[in-house]
Amino acid sequence: MSEKSQLPSRLFLCLITISIALLITSSLFLLQFSDNSFRPTSVLKLILVNNTSDYFQPSVGSEKVEAPFTPSVASPIYSNPPVRIKEVPCPSSEPSNKLSAVGLEKEKICDTNHAVLQVYMYDLPLEFHFGLLGWKGNSDQTWPDVGNPSRIPSYPGGLNLQHSMEYWLTLDLLSSNVPNMVRPCSAIRVHNASQADIIFVPFFSSLSYNRHSKLHGKERVSVNRMLQNKLVEFLKGRNEWKRLGGKDHLIVAHHPNSMLVARKKLASAMFVLADFGRYLVAIANLQKDVIAPYKHLVKTIPSDKSTPFEGRPILVYFQGAIYRKDGGATRHELYYLLKDEKDVHFTFGSVQTNGINQAGQGMGSSKFCLNIAGDTPSSNRLFDAIASHCVPVIISDEIELPFEDVLDYSEFCIFIRASDAVKKGFLLNLLREINQDQWTKMWERLKQIALHFEYQYPSQPGDAVDMIWQAISRKKSSIRFKGHRNNRYRRSQNLVKIT
Ligand SMILES: *[C@@H]1O[C@H](CO)[C@@H](O)[C@H](O)[C@H]1NC(C)=O
Ligand SMILES: *[C@@H]1O[C@H](CO)[C@@H](O)[C@H](O)[C@H]1NC(C)=O
Ligand SMILES: *[C@@H]1O[C@H](CO)[C@@H](O)[C@H](O)[C@H]1NC(C)=O
């Protein structure tokens, strides 16, 4: 062998040695940082806000759990690693499990040390929650037995379901006390209010509005109004409320007309809302409140059954009611601009009259789905579009979007100002310019994030219930902050009272 050929082979040997060394160090490194590194994270990246984040939860992998309450479980989540956002680094009570992660992980339990949010829930009388579903229970029973899914009263269907998060959140809290329940460890119900981060008010306010606003017979006051008055009286008399003036209380008021009577009196509480369209800023605002997605009405399209670009003949899809109020004008103007286009489906009529299935099919065969402000800035249409993987085109300047602090909607939605949308040619030119690659990117993203808008029981990591609890947990420090400020002059106030 000549010098020339020996040199490369020596070099080669050297390279191999170096790479082996690198390999060893990197695998040691990976082991150090436990199991997480081996897991696919694509879907989950978006909710990891911090490098203190940590995965957690028994691996559901093979033992798939049936979610009894989801007709539309397309749940890609079962096959994905569960995710946890932790505010606090793992408590020291946790065993050091860096090496045999998989085995130990199954033993991890969701207790008050692990949960992101400790929640105290008032044991309100039945009439405020499951009683509204017609559930009676036994005489001593306030809550249904959620360990047995077949005995959980179901929420009324149809359009009621859009605002059913009051029900899913309550169920999830109840299930947090059921042994061996496989669910995210975001919220856990505690029975001592002074240990809680949040005090949950289990009033099904949207259902109360939808079902009990009318006066019957000789009633002077509707059930909906009566319940709200009772609730205000109850809360204002509680020490838990007085402690922080209600700032740590969580009230679900998703239907824009729910809590109409009580909202001003309970304005210091944190609300779970659809948008701020019918609220004064002093009563509801982004700083203290949480926006929750509507429960979509169309069936979820499973990721692997979703139609790609070339299979969606309709460019733009819209179906909705005609409104004369506020935002409605944009709908009319757009209708006249778009109605003669061949690849545009634009019809007026509520989803009900044309059938939810038909709407689902329409959206599933469309590239873009319009969300035009109606009488409120938000509607379930956006979430129907997401579940159909139809790229939402949002024409609603005042809309508030759920979880926007961890989700960048511009990755999977198109936003157009109402004033631009009604310019001749603007909308269609913009959408036609989006090519297959660009559209497909948004579609892929839609398939990834769709699970964040699924309500189901039991809740699963990354679904809507889990995301709402996590959004609430991100308000924790601001509640604490307000509490501490409240305390500043406590001593001198007491003194003032005495002197
Ligand atoms: C991650 O944590 C390290 C120290 O723990 C810190 O220096 C770094 O800035 C953090 N990065 C992010 C993105 O939070
Ligand atoms: C992010 O990390 C910082 C410290 O690195 C921590 O104080 C903070 O609570 C974390 N936030 C979340 C949301 O985990
Ligand atoms: C609730 O917790 C507080 C503080 O941790 C404690 O002082 C109190 O005794 C507890 N109350 C009950 C009824 O356990």
Side-chain angles (χ1 to χ4, degrees):
M1 271 194 201
S2 71
E3 280 281 323
K4 267 184 187 168
S5 64
Q6 257 179 11
L7 193 68
S9 70
R10 220 180 273 155
L11 229 167
F12 193 54
L13 207 82
C14 191
L15 268 176
I16 287 179
T17 324
I18 291 172
S19 19
I20 287 174
L22 271 175
L23 205 87
I24 291 169
T25 35
S26 62
S27 41
L28 280 176
F29 184 86
L30 281 176
L31 283 174
Q32 271 256 334
F33 286 90
S34 84
D35 51 321
N36 306 342
S37 347
F38 294 105
R39 298 172 153 190
T41 56
S42 60
V43 181
L44 306 161
K45 262 184 200 150
L46 56 123
I47 36 179
L48 300 179
V49 279
N50 209 322
N51 59 6
T52 57
S53 308
D54 193 11
Y55 297 115
F56 173 70
Q57 247 273 322
S59 57
V60 255
S62 53
E63 15 151 338
K64 283 199 181 177
V65 184
E66 287 302 317
F69 267 93
T70 17
S72 58
V73 227
S75 290
I77 37 184
Y78 292 137
S79 52
N80 273 318
V83 69
R84 217 25 322 103
I85 297 174
K86 283 204 171 170
E87 278 222 341
V88 211
C90 296
S92 52
S93 63
E94 209 168 42
S96 159
N97 58 346
K98 285 177 176 155
L99 284 172
S100 56
V102 179
L104 268 175
E105 218 189 21
K106 285 210 168 130
E107 286 162 32
K108 276 194 190 172
I109 22 135
C110 183
D111 59 21
T112 48
N113 288 329
H114 296 90
V116 176
L117 207 55
Q118 305 197 17
V119 185
Y120 177 80
M121 175 162 70
Y122 288 120
D123 288 318
L124 286 181
L126 281 185
E127 59 180 341
F128 285 96
H129 43 85
F130 288 96
L132 290 168
L133 306 174
W135 184 73
K136 298 205 171 60
N138 300 328
S139 54
D140 58 339
Q141 223 180 341
T142 306
W143 302 110
D145 170 17
V146 297
N148 181 351
S150 67
R151 290 175 56 187
I152 301 175
S154 54
Y155 198 86
L159 292 177
N160 288 301
L161 271 177
Q162 302 181 84
H163 302 292
S164 56
M165 41 299 309
E166 51 200 22
Y167 169 77
W168 304 107
L169 290 170
T170 308
L171 283 181
D172 186 52
L173 277 184
L174 292 171
S175 77
S176 74
N177 294 144
V178 176
N180 304 323
M181 180 65 81
V182 178
R183 59 180 281 282
C185 195
S186 39
I188 192 163
R189 182 180 173 205
V190 295
H191 294 274
N192 182 341
S194 48
Q195 289 160 0
D197 304 305
I198 292 290
I199 316 280
F200 185 75
V201 180
F203 173 38
F204 292 178
S205 63
S206 297
L207 192 63
S208 173
Y209 170 76
N210 274 336
R211 285 293 181 85
H212 301 283
S213 289
K214 290 204 184 90
L215 293 174
H216 295 286
K218 290 191 182 134
E219 279 174 3
R220 287 283 213 49
V221 175
S222 69
V223 169
N224 180 41
R225 180 174 281 267
M226 178 272 290
L227 287 175
Q228 290 179 60
N229 288 336
K230 266 192 180 177
L231 187 67
V232 171
E233 196 182 325
F234 170 83
L235 289 175
K236 296 279 167 128
R238 297 289 299 206
N239 287 331
E240 290 87 351
W241 181 276
K242 291 174 193 160
R243 195 172 60 174
L244 284 177
K247 290 189 180 72
D248 57 352
H249 278 53
L250 185 70
I251 296 174
V252 187
H254 201 264
H255 191 293
N257 293 343
S258 61
M259 296 296 285
L260 218 45
V261 180
R263 57 173 68 160
K264 197 170 164 201
K265 294 177 187 133
L266 303 178
S268 54
M270 187 191 291
F271 293 123
V272 175
L273 300 174
D275 58 49
F276 300 122
R278 296 191 190 160
Y279 281 85
L280 298 172
V281 179
I283 295 177
N285 53 70
L286 263 190
Q287 212 222 330
K288 74 174 180 71
D289 303 315
V290 169
I291 299 296
Y294 290 63
K295 180 168 167 46
H296 60 79
L297 298 176
V298 307
K299 281 208 183 93
T300 306
I301 298 182
S303 264
D304 55 347
K305 299 226 170 68
S306 185
T307 314
F309 188 85
E310 56 276 13
R312 295 178 182 245
I314 305 167
L315 177 72
V316 182
Y317 185 95
F318 176 80
Q319 181 161 331
I322 303 182
Y323 289 110
R324 301 216 177 84
K325 286 183 246 169
D326 315 333
T330 312
R331 289 191 178 187
H332 285 273
E333 291 187 50
L334 276 170
Y335 175 70
Y336 289 109
L337 285 174
L338 300 178
K339 68 183 168 55
D340 297 326
E341 299 289 330
K342 259 191 243 122
D343 50 358
V344 172
H345 169 101
F346 199 120
T347 53
F348 284 122
S350 75
V351 169
Q352 261 180 335
T353 54
N354 279 290
I356 289 163
N357 284 344
Q358 199 190 325
Q361 272 172 16
M363 291 183 169
S365 334
S366 304
K367 297 185 182 83
F368 297 99
C369 287
L370 297 184
N371 297 269
I372 315 167
D375 63 345
T376 55
S378 68
S379 78
N380 72 303
R381 205 166 293 107
L382 169 62
F383 307 100
D384 283 342
I386 292 174
S388 312
H389 309 140
C390 175
V391 173
V393 178
I394 297 176
I395 306 170
S396 177
D397 301 348
E398 304 296 322
I399 198 169
E400 292 299 341
L401 298 163
F403 325 130
E404 203 173 5
D405 55 343
V406 292
L407 281 184
D408 183 352
Y409 281 76
S410 71
E411 293 170 353
F412 53 89
C413 292
I414 311 275
F415 290 86
I416 303 180
R417 288 195 182 82
S419 55
D420 288 332
V422 296
K423 288 178 191 157
K424 197 160 188 287
F426 189 96
L427 178 71
L428 286 182
N429 285 345
L430 192 141
L431 298 184
R432 291 218 160 97
E433 252 168 44
I434 294 171
N435 66 28
Q436 178 160 359
D437 284 351
Q438 292 164 328
W439 184 90
T440 303
K441 231 183 203 171
M442 289 191 273
W443 173 67
E444 294 289 356
R445 194 76 183 103
L446 276 173
K447 291 191 286 179
Q448 290 172 346
I449 54 88
L451 77 103
H452 299 319
F453 304 96
E454 295 291 342
Y455 290 94
Q456 56 198 327
Y457 182 83
S459 168
Q460 296 297 321
D463 71 5
V465 167
D466 188 18
M467 292 291 281
I468 292 172
W469 290 130
Q470 289 182 19
I472 292 164
S473 81
R474 292 191 290 273
K475 306 267 185 200
K476 236 165 49 175
S477 68
S478 114
I479 293 174
R480 238 179 267 131
F481 176 81
K482 286 181 206 157
H484 295 165
R485 277 183 85 90
N486 260 2
N487 288 344
R488 282 183 180 183
Y489 296 105
R490 205 169 45 181
R491 272 170 223 284
S492 47
Q493 261 160 5
N494 289 344
L495 215 64
V496 169
K497 274 183 210 153
I498 294 165
T499 51

